[in-house]
């Protein structure tokens, strides 16, 4: 018969009443120190919550890096895409009309103009048909990339996220609170980078899809694929950016079993993803990455944090080959200018040329790089002037030499030859 003075009966049924009925000693009977074999150990419950938090962060990371749904329109009847589709179709028709007028004015050339007219007609129809199919193709491609990314990082036990889960449960330092804290902090930092990746990829895909009708309209000129290839290369680099994490897969098995090394590898993956944003999104990716780097460098003085952001968003230098020596110009805006120049050229327009002058920072860097060479040139010139000013005793005429031809009698003095510095010598006037 239960005791009427039992205080546990006042508690509602649940874990608290069960713990009260078992007593304070029974909870730690399975393991000394409350470290884990019992049902109600504090450390075991905390580690369980940490593992749940890590699983939640990993799922959120996967959803942000390679989401199944994107902000880009899925069908061509979307209102936002319809505006660009209308503009692209009318632009293609306008370009085709211009080609027809040119072919009519130059019809006397015969077969070449008829061939150009036929090619322009076929490519105009292909461009108009391709404009309507871009949203569906992009949706299927994004879904395929998301499924492939999820499969690649879930089916194999040697991937980074699966190794982190195993190390949290059975790792060498899984019972060390410091290791669990480090990996949790690394996951939180990776979550911030993943949010940046999600925003950049989503906005980039939306911008590239909306720009597709304008790019495809350039095919109406007769099949000029320059702008289309440039657009496709940039766009595919943006779509497949999440697979940059696969580059660190060979290093995962090397650090398997240590949560601290897993955290360091995850930070390296974050820097790699940020670098992929920098090179995969040429229009606003460099500005976003540079702004993040500038903010981090202005807010913290930690060398490690600055090294990470500088590795993820390095100083971009464009190499230009000169006849004398190659130079490096840190002007990422030139990439945007070159891409816009390709798009203008696809429509037969001549874009405004960019100023060839270097920026202030580029001029300072160039002067610092050329300083040793300039110093050597100055010293060489000084030495050459000093040698030229000093008379050479061997060059003086000796008294034993024979007289020149001008001093010999009976021979006229030779005419002075042309001076290469002043040009040909004037001819003497004729005498009657």
């Amino acid at each position: 018969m239960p005791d009427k003075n039992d205080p546990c009966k006042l508690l509602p049924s649940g874990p608290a009443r069960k713990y009260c009925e078992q007593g304070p000693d029974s909870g730690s009977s399975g393991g000394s120190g409350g470290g884990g074999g019992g049902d109600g150990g504090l450390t075991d419950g905390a580690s369980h919550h940490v593992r749940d938090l890590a699983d939640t962060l990993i799922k959120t990371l996967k959803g942000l890096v390679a989401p199944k749904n994107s902000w880009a329109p899925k069908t061509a009847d979307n209102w936002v895409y319809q505006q660009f589709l209308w503009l692209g179709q009318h632009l293609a028709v306008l370009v085709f009309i211009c080609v027809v007028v040119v072919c009519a004015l130059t019809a006397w050339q015969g077969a070449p103009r008829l061939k150009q007219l036929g090619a322009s007609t076929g490519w105009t129809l292909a461009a108009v048909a391709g404009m309507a199919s871009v949203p569906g193709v992009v949706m299927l491609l994004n879904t395929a990339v998301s499924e492939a990314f999820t499969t690649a990082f879930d089916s194999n036990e040697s991937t980074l996220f699966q190794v982190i889960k195993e190390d949290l449960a059975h790792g060498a330092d899984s019972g060390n609170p410091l290791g669990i804290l480090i990996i949790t902090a690394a996951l939180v930092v990776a979550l911030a980078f993943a949010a940046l990746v999600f925003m950049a990829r989503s906005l980039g895909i939306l911008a590239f899809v909306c720009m597709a009708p304008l790019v495809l309209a350039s095919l109406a000129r007769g099949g000029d694929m320059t702008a289309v290839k440039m657009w496709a290369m940039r766009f595919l680099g943006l779509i497949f950016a999440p697979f940059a994490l696969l580059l660190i897969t060979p290093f995962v098995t090397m650090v398997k079993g240590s949560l601290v090394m897993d955290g360091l590898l995850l930070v390296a993956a974050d820097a790699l993803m940020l670098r992929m944003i920098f090179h995969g999104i040429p229009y606003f990716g460099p500005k976003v990455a540079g702004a993040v780097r500038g903010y981090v460098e202005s807010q913290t003085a930690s060398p490690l944090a600055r090294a990470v952001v500088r590795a993820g968003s390095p100083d971009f230098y464009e190499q230009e080959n000169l006849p004398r020596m190659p130079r490096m110009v840190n002007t990422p805006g030139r990439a945007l200018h070159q891409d816009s120049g390709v798009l203008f050229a696809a429509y037969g327009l001549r874009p405004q040329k960019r100023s060839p002058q270097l920026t202030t920072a580029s001029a300072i860097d160039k002067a610092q790089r050329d300083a040793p060479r300039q110093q050597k040139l100055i010293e060489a010139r000084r030495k050459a002037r000093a040698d030229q000013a000093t008379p050479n005793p061997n060059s003086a005429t000796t008294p034993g030499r024979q007289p020149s031809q001008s001093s010999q009698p009976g021979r006229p003095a030779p005419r002075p030859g042309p001076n290469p510095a002043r040009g040909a010598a004037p001819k003497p006037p004729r005498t009657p």
Side-chain angles (χ1 to χ4, degrees):
M1 186 173 182
D3 188 5
K4 294 182 179 180
N5 296 327
D6 187 8
C8 297
K9 68 178 182 179
L10 300 177
L11 298 174
S13 58
R17 185 170 181 175
K18 184 178 180 182
Y19 179 78
C20 180
E21 292 177 353
Q22 290 179 353
D25 297 334
S26 59
S28 59
S29 59
S32 60
D39 295 333
L42 297 178
T43 307
D44 183 68
S47 60
H48 180 70
H49 290 307
V50 170
R51 294 190 189 96
D52 292 342
L53 177 61
D55 292 340
T56 305
L57 290 176
I58 290 174
K59 291 180 181 179
T60 309
L61 277 170
K62 294 177 182 178
L64 290 176
V65 172
K68 295 182 179 180
N69 300 322
S70 62
W71 293 350
K74 298 181 180 180
T75 56
D77 57 356
N78 185 276
W79 184 85
V80 177
Y81 188 73
Q82 276 185 345
Q83 314 305 317
F84 293 92
L85 182 61
W86 179 88
L87 182 60
Q89 289 175 350
H90 284 71
L91 185 60
V93 173
L94 180 62
V95 173
F96 176 71
I97 292 175
C98 294
V99 173
V100 172
V101 172
V102 171
C103 291
L105 294 176
T106 56
W108 55 272
Q109 295 183 358
R113 291 304 178 185
L114 292 178
K115 183 179 180 181
Q116 181 184 4
L117 183 61
S120 181
T121 304
W123 281 109
T124 302
L125 296 176
V128 173
M131 293 175 191
S133 61
V134 167
V137 173
V138 172
M139 183 194 67
L140 294 176
L141 187 60
N142 183 73
T143 304
V145 169
S146 177
E147 294 294 337
F149 182 83
T150 304
T151 303
F153 279 89
D154 278 342
S155 61
N156 194 354
E157 295 181 355
S158 62
T159 56
L160 180 59
F161 295 138
Q162 291 293 332
V163 168
I164 291 176
K165 291 180 180 179
E166 293 181 2
D167 291 345
L168 283 172
H170 310 290
D173 50 0
S174 59
N176 187 3
L178 181 59
I180 297 177
L181 181 62
I182 290 176
I183 193 62
T184 306
L187 287 173
V188 173
V189 173
L191 187 63
F193 280 96
L196 179 62
V197 172
F198 173 76
M199 293 295 296
R201 287 189 72 247
S202 299
L203 293 175
I205 291 174
L206 178 62
F208 273 77
V209 170
C210 292
M211 194 174 60
L214 305 180
V215 177
L216 292 175
S218 64
L219 295 175
R221 292 185 62 240
D224 187 5
M225 298 291 294
T226 306
V228 179
K229 288 181 179 179
M230 182 267 295
W231 171 83
M233 289 175 59
R234 304 291 189 185
F235 185 63
L236 291 178
L238 182 62
I239 288 289
F240 290 98
F243 287 100
L245 290 176
L246 293 176
L247 299 177
I248 63 172
T249 303
F251 303 97
V252 173
T253 55
M254 299 171 57
V255 301
K256 187 175 181 180
S258 176
L259 288 176
V260 178
M261 296 303 297
D262 291 340
L264 293 178
L265 194 59
L266 187 58
V267 172
D270 297 338
L272 183 61
M273 285 295 295
L274 187 59
R275 189 178 181 88
M276 190 65 184
I277 293 176
F278 182 85
H279 292 284
I281 307 176
Y283 291 97
F284 53 90
K287 295 183 179 180
V288 173
V292 172
R293 171 183 168 178
Y295 177 78
V296 172
E297 290 182 344
S298 62
Q299 295 295 325
T300 180
S302 174
L304 179 60
R306 291 195 172 192
V308 169
V309 295
R310 287 175 183 174
S313 177
D315 292 328
F316 181 79
Y317 290 92
E318 179 185 358
Q319 185 172 1
E320 296 181 358
N321 293 325
L322 298 180
R324 188 184 69 182
M325 57 178 296
R327 69 174 180 177
M328 307 294 286
V329 187
N330 55 346
T331 51
R334 292 179 183 267
L336 173 61
H337 179 75
Q338 292 173 0
D339 292 345
S340 62
V342 171
L343 186 59
F344 276 107
Y347 292 102
L349 303 176
R350 181 175 296 177
Q352 184 179 3
K353 291 186 177 180
R354 192 179 182 91
S355 175
Q357 295 182 354
L358 299 179
T359 60
T360 303
S362 300
I364 293 174
D365 293 342
K366 185 176 183 298
Q368 292 177 354
R369 289 193 303 269
D370 294 347
R373 182 177 180 273
Q374 294 294 337
Q375 187 64 27
K376 291 181 180 179
L377 290 177
I378 292 173
E379 294 177 357
R381 292 192 186 103
R382 288 177 180 174
K383 185 178 180 181
R385 292 193 188 101
D387 295 341
Q388 187 177 5
T390 303
N392 190 2
N394 298 327
S395 62
T397 58
T398 58
R401 286 189 176 183
Q402 296 180 359
S404 61
Q405 294 180 356
S406 60
S407 62
Q408 294 180 2
R411 288 190 179 183
R415 295 179 180 179
N419 189 356
R422 298 182 180 179
K427 295 181 179 181
R430 293 183 178 179
T431 58

